[in-house]
Amino acid sequence: LMVAEERISTQFCGLVLAQDDEEEGSFLSTQLVDEVRHMQFYARFQDEVVADPATIGAHVERAREVLGEPFKHIFDGALVKAHERLRLDPRDREAKVDFVTIYHMVLEGTLGIVTSHFLLDLLRERELLPGFAEGYGLIAADEQRHIAYGTWFLREAVGADPAMGEVVRARVLDLLPHVAQAL
């Protein structure tokens, strides 16, 4: 979780720069703050419950070493490349559609939702880590709001330019095998 959230929170500012208007920019700014808060939640849990604060960086590095190729393909490949493309040209509509598809639909709408349901159900069923479960439940609620933005944005983008539907479709088809393997 911590490794995924670290990657997600560092690959978002390009979307904020690509805002179409002040309202969208305001929403995206709140999402960026959410993502950083999520990272802080995991770091605090690591600091106060799991490990000595000095070991957090080492933990993230160790976790990165054991992550499979599907995770690396999605988070370190597709997400990073899409963010860089969007960051370099915030007015590139196709780049924005591609990034939102990866970030909001694949990462948060698929991997995040499945992970949160599985983990929260497990923790509640076994009555483990109630404080963590409560905090993680709040993060899952944030993610629902983020997914709603992605759904809205992609509906609008495809409605305005049906060719953007192929951008969404191609990206989802490209990442689905990796998502299945990561899960």
Side-chain angles (χ1 to χ4, degrees):
L1 293 174
M2 192 165 164
V3 176
E5 203 66 53
E6 178 273 334
R7 176 61 69 204
I8 288 171
S9 66
T10 61
Q11 302 297 309
F12 195 78
C13 64
L15 185 59
V16 177
L17 296 173
Q19 63 185 286
D20 291 329
D21 56 39
E22 188 176 320
E23 183 177 359
E24 184 184 24
S26 295
F27 177 86
L28 292 171
S29 295
T30 67
Q31 184 177 342
L32 179 57
V33 170
D34 288 347
E35 300 300 356
V36 172
R37 267 190 306 108
H38 299 170
M39 180 61 191
Q40 290 172 339
F41 171 79
Y42 296 124
R44 185 171 177 200
F45 181 76
Q46 279 286 33
D47 287 350
E48 297 176 12
V49 179
V50 177
D52 180 308
T55 65
I56 300 304
H59 169 75
V60 172
E61 286 306 312
R62 267 193 325 278
R64 280 196 159 288
E65 289 172 13
V66 299
L67 294 172
E69 285 307 312
F71 181 95
K72 292 175 185 174
H73 179 84
I74 297 166
F75 285 86
D76 295 340
L79 177 64
V80 170
K81 289 176 187 169
H83 180 259
E84 184 65 7
R85 180 177 167 208
L86 182 59
R87 190 186 63 75
L88 291 173
D89 186 0
R91 301 283 48 110
D92 181 341
R93 192 52 144 197
E94 185 175 318
K96 186 175 179 181
V97 166
D98 187 43
F99 182 83
V100 169
T101 300
I102 295 168
Y103 196 100
H104 292 84
M105 300 294 101
V106 174
L107 299 183
E108 293 195 330
T110 305
L111 288 172
I113 290 293
V114 171
T115 302
S116 67
H117 281 289
F118 173 78
L119 184 55
L120 287 170
D121 289 350
L122 178 71
L123 293 174
R124 289 177 180 144
E125 176 185 302
R126 296 187 180 179
E127 298 179 352
L128 296 171
L129 303 170
F132 179 84
E134 180 182 350
Y136 191 56
L138 294 171
I139 288 172
D142 286 344
E143 304 302 3
Q144 294 289 335
R145 190 173 62 87
H146 303 165
I147 294 164
Y149 162 80
T151 303
W152 167 83
F153 172 78
L154 292 174
R155 184 185 68 234
E156 295 293 314
V158 172
D161 180 359
M164 292 298 111
E166 186 52 39
V167 173
V168 174
R169 188 174 356 312
R171 180 52 80 181
V172 169
L173 290 174
D174 169 58
L175 291 180
L176 275 181
H178 304 281
V179 168
Q181 290 175 345
L183 290 172

